[in-house]
Amino acid sequence: MPELPEVETIARGVDARVRGDQIVDVWFGSHREPFNTPAKLQARGLQERRIVSVHRIGKHIVMELGLRPGGPATAGGSTKPDNEIAAQWIVHLGMTGRLLVTTPEAEVAKHTHARLTLKSGREIRFVDPRRFGRLEFRDLRKRGEPAGFEAKGAEPLKIGAGEFAKLFRGRKLAVKAALLNQTLMAGVGNIYADESLFRAGIRPRRRSGRLTGTQLEKLRIALKEILEHAIRLGGSSVSDYVDAEGVRGFFQLEHCVYQRTGEPCRTCGKPIKRIVVAGRSTHYCAHCQR
DNA sequence: AGGTTGACCTGGACGC
DNA sequence: TGCGTCCAGGTCAACC
């Protein structure tokens, strides 16, 4: 469901509500292991952890976790709050996943798969009807364990012109398929791929390797501006997307092409077309995009 | 190796 | 009302 702006909005909201809190109880529903780490290991690993911070990497939400109190003593026996990162809980929302901060008394929604009770009295819940979401726990102190989580692809908000152009050079696949490929860039999904191609005036089926330097730079800027604008509006609420507090975003009101099939283009008035590219529903204006 | 397709799930919208 | 069909923002494994 959520792409970069929605995941960013959720991560910020969760961070603001749980940073510095501590996990005191963990519950996992009987969910046929859609988790990257078995539920039992996650529950054990999360127990008693202090939450250092929550942030976004690509479409993943990463919760940085500290050492357990009473664990291996820090040098000098300091009593300062320990902000050292010892473990991570990584949440991918898939298509319909939600990460909510509630109170334990709040009604438990259908398809709730995980609940973390916090010392402050708050509760973090992972809800995912379609079960495309993924949960992973990493103990960074365990030997042989992978390092901290990193996205395979580049960060669209930070990537420079040269690096961006290099992602498309020599490739035959449709530019839209390249935008969706998370190993090239992490965070772009169907909505923002369509919207950025419209803004850049490029047809979704154009072959990546045949775009000019000018077009690629236009695309990079369009994508960055659209993502930043969507973050300011709290993301796009299509169907049931809500942020950490259950609030909807507003960027869907500004979509130019996505899910506007047959409606007039906001620039030229011609009807928006729908085609399938890379197996995904794709919307564009045949007049404004070449 | 790069590129494409279908499978994974549930639920909502729509047509008959 | 009920049933069938289609569609959905993401990712993989399996194929060409």
Side-chain angles (χ1 to χ4, degrees):
Chain A
M1 134 203 195
E3 308 181 31
L4 188 152
E6 293 76 38
V7 178
E8 177 73 30
T9 302
I10 293 163
R12 285 182 189 177
V14 173
D15 183 73
R17 290 167 184 83
V18 308
R19 179 189 278 258
D21 214 328
Q22 194 187 349
I23 300 163
V24 294
D25 201 12
V26 183
W27 173 92
F28 278 87
S30 56
H31 183 299
R32 175 194 63 73
E33 303 295 323
F35 306 137
N36 290 351
T37 314
K40 264 187 193 165
L41 287 182
Q42 293 198 45
R44 203 180 306 154
L46 289 166
Q47 198 64 247
E48 302 301 319
R49 297 276 186 183
R50 182 182 132 81
I51 300 169
V52 177
S53 68
V54 182
H55 58 105
R56 175 194 65 79
I57 298 180
K59 288 176 196 168
H60 297 259
I61 298 166
V62 179
M63 186 178 287
E64 307 284 5
L65 302 164
L67 290 162
R68 291 191 176 84
T74 47
S78 161
T79 53
K80 284 188 296 183
D82 188 0
N83 281 340
E84 203 174 341
I85 294 156
Q88 293 176 321
W89 194 43
I90 301 141
V91 178
H92 192 291
L93 300 169
M95 297 248 277
T96 53
R98 295 162 62 173
L99 195 66
L100 301 166
V101 180
T102 66
T103 59
E105 299 80 47
E107 195 183 338
V108 179
K110 199 176 167 185
H111 306 297
T112 298
H113 305 303
R115 299 171 70 182
L116 312 188
T117 314
L118 307 181
K119 203 170 185 174
S120 65
R122 289 191 166 109
E123 188 166 295
I124 298 172
R125 293 182 187 173
F126 175 67
V127 184
D128 184 17
R130 247 171 111 181
R131 304 200 286 198
F132 284 178
R134 290 288 179 272
L135 302 175
E136 179 182 344
F137 177 81
R138 290 191 188 192
D139 186 342
L140 306 181
R141 292 305 177 88
K142 214 158 121 192
R143 238 165 6 120
E145 198 72 7
F149 179 84
E150 283 181 48
K152 289 182 212 131
E155 167 60 51
L157 294 177
K158 292 184 183 152
I159 191 168
E163 200 192 338
F164 185 85
K166 211 154 91 185
L167 299 178
F168 298 85
R169 197 175 300 155
R171 294 185 172 275
K172 286 188 176 166
L173 82 173
V175 58
K176 160 130 181 191
L179 285 171
L180 293 177
N181 185 334
Q182 303 296 299
T183 63
L184 298 178
M185 256 189 310
V188 183
N190 212 27
I191 297 174
Y192 300 100
D194 281 3
E195 293 298 322
S196 60
L197 286 168
F198 172 78
R199 183 134 163 179
I202 299 167
R203 288 209 187 174
R205 280 210 181 110
R206 287 287 304 278
R207 300 211 175 236
S208 304
R210 312 199 55 168
L211 295 168
T212 66
T214 310
Q215 287 176 315
L216 285 170
E217 184 56 3
K218 209 168 170 185
L219 179 58
R220 183 182 73 90
I221 301 292
L223 177 62
K224 184 166 178 277
E225 287 175 353
I226 279 181
L227 293 173
E228 284 169 348
H229 185 51
I231 290 169
R232 280 195 296 274
L233 296 184
S236 298
S237 284
V238 179
S239 84
D240 61 354
Y241 162 78
V242 288
D243 71 8
E245 222 179 354
V247 175
R248 292 167 63 83
F250 291 96
F251 188 70
Q252 70 280 5
L253 302 173
E254 305 200 10
H255 289 172
C256 288
V257 287
Y258 181 74
Q259 282 192 350
R260 294 193 66 244
T261 311
E263 290 176 41
C265 170
R266 298 197 200 282
T267 303
C268 74
K270 301 232 164 56
I272 298 301
K273 291 194 174 176
R274 178 187 179 277
I275 55 174
V276 174
V277 180
R280 312 299 305 279
S281 150
T282 297
H283 315 77
Y284 74 105
C285 172
H287 181 255
C288 297
Q289 292 171 258
R290 296 288 164 176

